[in-house]
Amino acid sequence: MAVDLLLGLQWGDEGKGKIVDVLTSKYDIIARFQGGPNAGHTLVFNGKKHVLHTIPSGIFHEKAINLVGNGVVIDPVIFKKELLGLEQHEIDYRKSLFISRKAHIILPTHRLLDAASEAAKGKAKIGSTLKGIGPTYMDKTGRNGIRVGDLEMPDWKEKYRSLADKHEAMIDFYNVDLSYDLKQLEAEFFEAVELLKTLKIIDSEEFLFNAQKEGKSILAEGAQGSLLDIDFGTYPYVTSSNTTAAGACTGLGVAPNQIGDVIGIFKAYTTRVGSGPFPTELFDEIGETMGRVGHEFGATTGRPRRCGWLDLVALRYACLINGVTQLTMMKADVLSGFETIKVCTSYYYRGEEITHFPYSLDEEYVTPIYKELKGWKEDITTITKSDELPTELINYIEYLEKELQIPISIVSVGPDRVQTINRKNSALSLG
Ligand code: GDP
Ligand code: IMO
Ligand code: MG
């Protein structure tokens, strides 16, 4: 059976966690393929909010298997905290959570290196979540990393020591003011590793081959968003993994011809957390309202998210790179009350109007060109049927479908599981 993908089309935080949770009843396996604890995926149901960082968003469904794939980087300390959080909800993760032997481990010194690198960059900092993501992927591609499978080998602590010693020398090289107690961090780390070692550690690609052969349905869950992709995002203000569809192939061992639906998820407006260009960013009352009504604060770092209008140039680009077949529009409720809704349809870029995503999104080169649509006043958070949505919102949805030539199958009108509307004739049933 084909493997479906769900991934973010903007700068992350599109609402992936919510929709994966909603769709999990349709799938046997939910698999994360990249990123790590830089992600913060929020799920809301039965009046409770849950934030997951490394654990896939299908974990609250009893029947689903949740797999942390080889493309993910795991911080055992954060992972342990997440597991303890699940225990409170009586989730039997020992039965339903599987971890790839080939996933890389974030060491305490990776986190310190992240902080040192950011401090050394000063104003040019990436705005990293400081979870050690960049340094861990650097060690992966530099062929120095420690993988989950190494933890089962007798010599892993020697490997650890030599890598951590090298990291300490690198931290000194940055010559920044960074105080830390490595002994304390290591004690916490080694303790968390012991818990990790008791979980179901598997050869995940083999597991997925067999699952496919047996006809099991699989949904791959992306983290971050396409505009944070290491190759196709707004480099260098990106994360260190391939967040786009190809990342699911390398991050799980799924062959490209096994990919089925690619579900692209986007907010009805745009947000970004951390540094980097953002052409449609608003610095006025409208942007402030989006942030306030949408509770736009990072689920991992608590930082306020920058807000702005929907950018169709960027969205079209993300749809093409990922081969998106179905769209999911999130947070339409946040736009209720605006007189007009603006959509960026092209850029004025270095002297000409363009509709493709250019090499640089820097403010000095890019000026967004907008189309205006009529807004709606109604509170839509209790609407359950797509034909009950305000006409102006339906017009907005149909306009985007026409521009992107991809159906918007789901419209989300609030954070809760139940605030999810399946559009008429949608190819994507909610299960
Ligand atoms: P993710 O990283 O893509 O999983 O997204 P986050 O969880 O970081 O951010 C999405 C935020 O929006 C969370 O606080 C969600 O609870 C919330 N959310 C998701 N969908 C909706 C929606 O349709 N309307 C509103 N108002 N909030 C939503
Ligand atoms: P989810 O999965 C939004 C951003 C950071 C920073 C840049 C690099 O919740 O959508 P990193 O820690 O990866 O080195 O940071 O990427 N970033 C995210 N922004 N949502 C995320 O994940 C993000 N993960 C990283 O803010 O700008
Ligand atoms: Mg998030």
Side-chain angles (χ1 to χ4, degrees), residues 11-13 16 38-41 126-129 133 223-224 228 238-239 273-275 303:
W11 278 290
D13 302 330
K16 299 174 290 293
N38 48 348
H41 294 181
I126 308 294
S128 148
T129 59
I133 303 297
Q224 290 79 56
L228 289 170
V238 292
T239 190
V273 61
S275 327
R303 292 176 293 177

Side-chain angles (χ1 to χ4, degrees), residues 169-181:
M170 289 163 74
I171 292 164
D172 286 346
F173 168 81
Y174 278 112
N175 196 21
V176 291
D177 188 17
L178 192 71
S179 57
Y180 58 90
D181 178 352

Side-chain angles (χ1 to χ4, degrees), residues 14 101 108 143 166 226 247 319 395:
E14 295 88 353
R101 279 205 171 86
R143 296 161 294 180
K166 183 174 132 193
S226 303
C319 288
N395 287 343

Side-chain angles (χ1 to χ4, degrees), residues 203-214:
D203 295 323
S204 57
E205 57 288 352
E206 184 67 20
F207 173 80
L208 289 176
F209 299 149
N210 291 332
Q212 286 172 80
K213 235 191 289 168
E214 289 161 18

